[in-house]
Amino acid sequence: MGTILCATRGGEASYRTQDRAIEIARERGDKLLFIFVSDINFLSHTSAPVLVDVEGEMENMGEFLLLAAEERARNAGIEAEHVVRQGDFREQLKEAAKEYQVEMVILGRPGKEGSVTKLQMLEELVKEIEQELGIEAVIV
Amino acid sequence: MRTRDHLLGILVTLGMVTALLGFGLLFGAERAVGQSASSWSVTGRLIDPQGQPVSAATVRVYVDGDDEPIEAETHDDGTYLIDLPRRPERSLRIEVERSHFRPVEYELDVSGMVPDEEYNALRAPDLTMERKITAGFWIATAAFVLMLTLIALEVLHSTVAALLGAAIMFAATTLGYVLKADGLIVLSMERALSYIDFEVIFLVMGMMIVIGIIEGTGIFQWLAFAAYRVSRGRAWLLVIVLMLITGVASALLDNVTTMLLMTPISLQIAIAMGINPLSFLIPEVLASNIAGISTLIGTPTNILIGSYAGITFDDFLINQTVGVVLALIVLIVYTEIVYRKEYRAASGGVSGVLYEKMRQNARIKDPSALRKSLIIFGVMIVFFVAGEGLHTPPAITAMVGATALLIWVEPDVEKMLKAVDWTTLVFFMALFMVVGAIQEVGLVSYIATFLADLVGDSLVTGLLILVWFGAILSAIIDNIPFAAAMLPVVGYLTQTIPGAESKVLFYGLSVGAAMGGNGSLIGSSANVVTAGIAERAGYPITYVRFMKIGVPAMFLTTGAATLWLLLRFFVLG
């Protein structure tokens, strides 16, 4: 049994990604590893003081979102685990893919509005993962 | 090691308090130097067309037609006192020069004049200096607009943008000195430092340490989770409780901290209830922006306004709280109508695993620290309220409270000192300098004159303009630099409009600057951080989506707060 790494968050767009990842895992007989990468770059757009352990709060929130995804997969009969990382999305995803020796990486197509993740960036990332790591990567 | 760290932290904090007191003594001493006891001297005062003192002007006095003048500079209050070499027989010619003002000459006939008893000085009449538009005026104005634009468009970090604004002023000044071009001299370093309000800096710094300790206890997350349990799946009720928790926390701490703590746990609760988290988050951040203005320490703009206008903690409580409560009631009704479908759709079901995770994320992390923090914070509130009677400015209360927390709670001192956001403090200092520069070159005077002409003697018109102009502008640009720039303008209007001595215009500025933040996503820092976290969780808040909810909320809540100000200051008196 191999492992599929699926980058996800919450929200409608992410639920679609999770459902598709569950389908693929079922077809291939693999288990799922959900990953949430938190970055706090948005704090650079504010002039107000930031006195909170934002990274810790984001990590807790990420754990919760991935537990929900994991539960979704388990309810569909798919074995699932999760990992929360902090920092640059591209780098953290590639590192996790190497570390967990995954066989496939699944990325969700950006939602219709407001997402800071752009499709072009994901397409470039897919190429990077395939060329640098030799791992199959898809946008669903 | 731990004890040494604590001692270091305490010493640093006490050092800050000492420095603060030192500044007070320094400035006090500076005043005393100007008082001369010479046998013959001349004194007078320079004012601008708005009646504001003209400081740092060069005053030259020629005794009885002498060729060599005696020279002095005016003090912060625009006064000068010059010792004369001998008793003048006929006249004193007074020449006055100051960058960005037209020079003034005045011939004082001294025959038969009797010296002022207090200073044994001949008293010259107040001289009015007319403003002059110089190259420095355009440079300072352009630098100020550039700073606001860079911040609004997020091209540069606000601190960097403010530093850039200050750097442009200093570069022009240096060039002015090199080329001996008076019109280019915008702001010397000495003048720039005099514009920094150290009471604001130390109050913000002290509160940062206090907030840093309190936030670590997990109290707000615990309260939010407790509200979730108590509401038993009734989303319409839960959102009211969450808005009230957010409002009270914003009034006592600050909006950004509150939303950074409340957003992640609110998101989890909403997901657990099966509803769109934005139906909780947007009402919460709107409530946060509104409720912050009920206290002196709730928003940076209130801290600025309070320090400038001498409005105390209890003044804000008395004059703003009812307006804030009215605005919150309006906001709650509005929220319940706008999100009624989402709240009805709440499923309320959550698995044991997710519930446990949520409970874990919302636990009180350090009960002992929480108990101690609440006791000290309670004492601080007493001192904030009673501060005026005890001659304790808010900055001292904040710094002493921070010190007490460091001693009693014994947090990781290095971590706590790192909690002091130096970027923000530098932003404030650079901002004070930039605003000082536009005061120096006369931009603030021109705006003040324009507004005074527009308003005439009508205090109601002045209030309405300030509240609504402030609200709309704050929705577009950062409300902190806006409020900082408007302070001297409002100060002038307060002196000139009959009845404005109640400081109602300052309260209007406070309402406009804060509630306008609800008009757009970039209108307040709390909006920005809430949207940032929500986006990371997969629930983006777009500009349009926020404005659809925020703009009507801004009009409704600002309207409610305006009604209260009218009632409070024009009906109740």
Side-chain angles (χ1 to χ4, degrees):
Chain A
M1 181 187 276
T3 302
I4 297 173
L5 183 65
C6 174
T8 189
R9 297 182 291 187
E12 287 304 316
S14 299
Y15 295 150
R16 283 197 299 274
T17 308
Q18 290 166 17
D19 289 343
R20 184 69 189 119
I22 289 166
E23 274 176 37
I24 294 172
R26 185 180 289 123
E27 286 163 13
R28 295 167 56 115
D30 286 343
K31 70 174 181 182
L32 279 171
L33 176 65
F34 290 109
I35 182 169
F36 175 87
V37 181
S38 82
D39 74 83
I40 51 172
N41 290 342
F42 60 90
L43 294 177
S44 63
H45 301 309
T46 169
S47 56
V50 175
L51 313 168
V52 176
D53 173 20
V54 187
E55 288 180 350
E57 294 298 326
M58 294 289 281
E59 196 172 322
N60 285 339
M61 188 182 73
E63 289 270 354
F64 180 86
L65 294 172
L66 294 191
L67 275 174
E70 223 177 278
E71 203 167 62
R72 211 177 170 89
R74 290 217 183 94
N75 289 342
I78 301 296
E79 193 180 328
E81 289 177 353
H82 71 264
V83 57
V84 175
R85 292 288 176 93
Q86 287 176 354
D88 178 66
F89 176 70
R90 299 163 85 114
E91 294 307 317
Q92 292 300 325
L93 191 73
K94 285 191 280 185
E95 269 187 32
K98 271 194 288 189
E99 192 180 324
Y100 290 92
Q101 298 177 334
V102 305
E103 294 180 348
M104 185 183 196
V105 175
I106 293 177
L107 302 169
R109 193 171 290 274
K112 281 179 187 165
E113 56 171 20
S115 177
V116 291
T117 312
K118 301 293 173 217
L119 184 60
Q120 192 190 347
M121 188 276 272
L122 292 182
E123 286 170 348
E124 286 168 12
L125 183 56
V126 163
K127 278 183 199 162
E128 267 178 47
I129 292 169
E130 289 182 339
Q131 286 168 4
E132 288 176 24
L133 307 176
I135 298 172
E136 184 187 353
V138 289
I139 299 172
V140 297
Chain B
M1 186 71 181
R2 192 172 161 78
T3 312
R4 204 188 67 184
D5 283 352
H6 278 108
L7 278 173
L8 175 71
I10 293 156
L11 285 172
V12 168
T13 316
L14 285 173
M16 291 167 180
V17 177
T18 313
L20 182 66
L21 294 171
F23 273 111
L25 291 173
L26 192 69
F27 287 121
E30 194 189 14
R31 255 178 196 290
V33 168
Q35 296 172 359
S36 166
S38 164
S39 54
W40 287 101
S41 41
V42 60
T43 183
R45 183 167 171 259
L46 303 184
I47 51 173
D48 69 8
Q50 285 80 43
Q52 298 300 302
V54 178
S55 57
T58 304
V59 182
R60 290 189 196 91
V61 175
Y62 298 83
V63 181
D64 295 328
D66 284 356
D67 291 334
E68 286 299 312
I70 307 116
E71 206 172 282
E73 271 200 356
T74 52
H75 301 293
D76 287 346
D77 59 0
T79 60
Y80 61 88
L81 178 66
I82 298 176
D83 290 337
L84 303 175
R86 62 180 190 277
R87 182 176 197 271
E89 298 295 331
R90 302 183 305 278
S91 67
L92 291 173
R93 194 168 90 247
I94 301 169
E95 290 179 3
V96 185
E97 275 181 13
R98 169 75 155 83
S99 305
H100 317 292
F101 285 92
R102 297 186 191 286
V104 173
E105 281 186 27
Y106 184 79
E107 194 82 17
L108 180 67
D109 184 356
V110 297
S111 53
M113 273 187 84
V114 180
D116 175 284
E117 279 183 14
E118 190 180 353
Y119 299 120
N120 194 27
L122 298 167
R123 171 84 198 179
D126 287 357
L127 296 179
T128 303
M129 297 191 78
E130 296 293 332
R131 287 275 178 186
K132 181 172 77 173
I133 291 188
T134 59
F137 172 89
W138 293 113
I139 291 169
T141 304
F144 181 66
V145 173
L146 177 71
M147 179 191 79
L148 292 178
T149 311
L150 291 175
I151 294 173
L153 299 178
E154 296 182 2
V155 177
L156 286 180
H157 187 284
S158 48
T159 304
V160 181
L163 283 170
L164 176 66
I168 292 172
M169 315 286 188
F170 288 129
T173 303
T174 305
L175 197 64
Y177 284 126
V178 172
L179 300 177
K180 294 192 167 67
D182 202 35
L184 279 174
I185 298 171
V186 177
L187 194 66
S188 67
M189 180 48 92
E190 192 187 359
R191 294 288 299 157
L193 290 176
S194 74
Y195 277 105
I196 297 175
D197 187 337
F198 283 98
E199 190 160 337
V200 168
I201 301 294
F202 282 92
L203 175 55
V204 172
M205 188 194 289
M207 286 308 295
M208 281 177 179
I209 296 173
V210 172
I211 292 167
I213 293 172
I214 292 177
E215 75 83 15
T217 63
I219 177 69
F220 299 107
Q221 297 93 324
W222 180 84
L223 281 173
F225 185 65
Y228 164 65
R229 284 194 305 183
V230 170
S231 69
R232 294 182 181 182
R234 286 168 292 185
W236 65 268
L237 177 63
L238 179 57
V239 76
I240 296 174
V241 182
L242 289 176
M243 285 164 77
L244 293 178
I245 293 171
T246 310
V248 172
S250 296
L252 295 176
L253 301 174
D254 77 291
N255 305 0
V256 172
T257 300
T258 304
M259 289 316 297
L260 283 172
L261 294 171
M262 290 295 285
T263 302
I265 192 70
S266 300
L267 258 154
Q268 293 166 50
I269 291 172
I271 292 170
M273 294 177 79
I275 62 175
N276 187 335
L278 302 192
S279 63
F280 281 174
L281 296 183
I282 293 178
E284 279 179 43
V285 74
L286 297 177
S288 169
N289 288 330
I290 291 168
I293 58 164
S294 54
T295 68
L296 173 73
I297 54 173
T299 63
T301 50
N302 268 20
I303 292 177
L304 289 172
I305 293 168
S307 179
Y308 184 91
I311 297 176
T312 61
F313 190 91
D314 36 334
D315 287 337
F316 273 114
L317 269 182
I318 293 164
N319 296 314
Q320 299 272 67
T321 304
V322 178
V324 165
V325 170
L326 279 176
L328 280 178
I329 291 170
V330 170
L331 181 66
I332 286 170
V333 173
Y334 170 74
T335 299
E336 296 290 350
I337 294 169
V338 170
Y339 288 113
R340 63 190 180 282
K341 285 181 189 163
E342 279 87 344
Y343 298 152
R344 276 190 208 135
S347 63
V350 61
S351 72
V353 176
L354 290 179
Y355 183 87
E356 182 51 34
K357 178 64 191 164
M358 208 159 52
R359 198 185 63 79
Q360 202 185 345
N361 288 348
R363 74 189 188 285
I364 298 287
K365 290 163 193 158
D366 187 343
S368 167
L370 174 63
R371 185 174 47 81
K372 293 171 181 173
S373 302
L374 289 181
I375 291 171
I376 289 180
F377 193 63
V379 174
M380 284 176 69
I381 296 291
V382 171
F383 271 84
F384 278 135
V385 172
E388 201 176 13
L390 299 169
H391 303 287
T392 310
I396 296 287
T397 301
M399 295 303 294
V400 173
T403 309
L405 277 169
L406 286 171
I407 293 170
W408 199 20
V409 177
E410 297 186 36
D412 181 332
V413 171
E414 281 190 23
K415 193 178 160 196
M416 279 309 111
L417 292 179
K418 278 181 191 162
V420 174
D421 190 334
W422 300 103
T423 321
T424 301
L425 297 180
V426 172
F427 168 67
F428 270 109
M429 287 194 253
L431 176 65
F432 281 130
M433 291 183 192
V434 175
V435 172
I438 60 168
Q439 279 178 258
E440 290 281 313
V441 299
L443 176 63
V444 167
S445 293
Y446 288 115
I447 296 171
T449 309
F450 170 76
L451 278 178
D453 292 344
L454 190 70
V455 168
D457 282 348
S458 172
L459 188 55
V460 174
T461 313
L463 176 65
L464 293 177
I465 285 178
L466 271 175
V467 171
W468 290 95
F469 172 71
I472 291 165
L473 215 58
S474 293
I476 304 165
I477 61 171
D478 192 326
N479 63 0
I480 298 175
F482 165 73
M486 285 300 287
L487 286 173
V489 174
V490 178
Y492 169 64
L493 294 176
T494 298
Q495 285 180 358
T496 55
I497 302 176
E501 58 277 6
S502 61
K503 297 180 183 171
V504 60
L505 297 178
F506 284 106
Y507 293 112
L509 177 65
S510 163
V511 166
M515 296 198 183
N518 283 338
S520 81
L521 190 56
I522 56 161
S524 87
S525 297
N527 302 351
V528 175
V529 299
T530 303
I533 296 176
E535 196 281 328
R536 264 55 173 184
Y539 297 92
I541 304 175
T542 61
Y543 282 79
V544 175
R545 186 194 285 255
F546 188 89
M547 284 180 77
K548 272 184 188 169
I549 308 292
V551 170
M554 180 189 90
F555 281 103
L556 287 169
T557 55
T558 308
T562 309
L563 276 178
W564 163 249
L565 287 180
L566 291 171
L567 190 69
R568 168 71 185 85
F569 289 97
F570 297 91
V571 180
L572 300 176

